[in-house]
């Protein structure tokens, strides 16, 4: 198994994802419970646009490792990309339950909640994301948008002003998008 894993890494370094995918398939044929092979295959399938197959791999991986927050996040990310917001929300809630400091899971949860029209909960998720990643413009941008959609333009303007302190170009574009004043 170690030889196959090494072979897969070499293929990945060479940019031969399809060949590496075949190696991971072989590893799983030999050992269906091989977590590394399953996670790697899910990643390659997602990259190849095979989201359904990647989702199936992640779900199988979670049977083996039900408390693995990054796997829950990856599943939620793919479900959200597939437009399955309610399922994505459940997966992302599991991710933050298992690792409350997983900032990207809070961000994804906020996006799913926005799709579901649950602005207050989305605002709370984006606030948590910005606490964990205070210098990332993504969470602040989505927080401002969610506040604006939830009829809190003054709060949205405050967020944009805060964002202008470290991402002035992003803040200016967001200011124009939201129609907030400088």
């Amino acid at each position: 198994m170690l030889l196959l894993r090494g072979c897969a890494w070499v293929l990945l370094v060479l940019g031969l994802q399809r060949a590496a995918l075949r190696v991971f398939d072989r590893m799983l044929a030999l050992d269906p419970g091989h977590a590394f092979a399953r996670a790697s295959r899910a990643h390659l399938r997602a990259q190849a646009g095979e989201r359904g197959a990647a989702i199936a791999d992640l779900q199988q991986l979670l049977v083996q490792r039900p408390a693995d927050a990054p796997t829950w996040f990856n599943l939620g990310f793919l479900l959200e990309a597939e437009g399955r917001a309610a399922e994505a929300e459940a997966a992302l809630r599991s991710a933050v339950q298992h690792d409350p400091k997983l900032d990207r899971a809070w961000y994804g949860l906020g996006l799913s909640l926005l799709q579901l029209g649950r602005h207050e909960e989305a605002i709370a998720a984006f606030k948590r994301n910005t606490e964990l990643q205070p210098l990332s413009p993504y969470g602040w941008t989505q927080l401002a948008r969610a506040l604006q959609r939830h009829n809190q333009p003054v709060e949205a303007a405050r967020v944009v002003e805060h964002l202008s302190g470290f991402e002035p170009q992003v803040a200016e574009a967001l200011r124009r998008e939201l129609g907030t004043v400088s």
Side-chain angles (χ1 to χ4, degrees):
M1 199 61 76
L2 193 55
L3 182 60
L4 286 172
R5 186 174 177 160
C7 179
W9 275 112
V10 169
L11 292 168
L12 288 171
V13 167
L14 294 173
L16 302 170
Q17 284 84 1
R18 281 285 169 201
L21 185 59
R22 287 191 296 276
V23 173
F24 292 127
D25 286 342
R26 178 71 179 133
M27 290 173 73
L28 289 167
L30 294 170
D31 179 4
H34 198 286
F36 171 79
R38 188 156 310 276
S40 298
R41 186 171 79 172
H43 177 77
L44 289 174
R45 285 175 157 181
Q47 276 187 327
E50 300 169 12
R51 289 188 193 137
I55 287 168
D57 272 337
L58 292 172
Q59 289 169 330
Q60 180 62 38
L61 187 57
L62 286 166
V63 169
Q64 296 170 244
R65 303 164 78 185
D68 190 57
T71 301
W72 280 111
F73 165 75
N74 290 333
L75 177 61
F77 176 83
L78 289 175
L79 289 167
E80 203 232 331
E82 286 288 294
R84 296 161 59 179
E87 292 171 86
E89 177 203 357
L92 293 162
R93 283 199 188 276
S94 289
V96 299
Q97 176 188 359
H98 294 296
D99 183 356
K101 293 184 179 183
L102 189 60
D103 58 275
R104 64 188 183 269
W106 286 105
Y107 181 81
L109 178 59
L111 292 176
S112 293
L113 291 165
L114 277 182
Q115 283 185 5
L116 295 168
R118 293 166 40 203
H119 297 126
E120 280 185 44
E121 291 174 82
I123 289 166
F126 290 129
K127 283 183 178 179
R128 183 67 180 129
N129 171 260
T130 59
E131 290 169 8
L132 295 166
Q133 277 291 342
L135 295 179
S136 172
Y138 303 105
W140 292 107
T141 298
Q142 291 301 336
L143 176 58
R145 288 175 176 151
L147 287 164
Q148 186 81 5
R149 288 181 192 161
H150 198 57
N151 296 318
Q152 296 180 35
V154 173
E155 288 300 314
R158 283 189 190 130
V159 169
V160 173
E161 187 57 33
H162 173 76
L163 185 59
S164 70
F166 60 96
E167 285 286 348
Q169 292 176 323
V170 173
E172 187 53 40
L174 187 57
R175 202 176 270 120
R176 285 192 302 274
E177 174 189 325
L178 299 179
T180 60
V181 283
S182 303

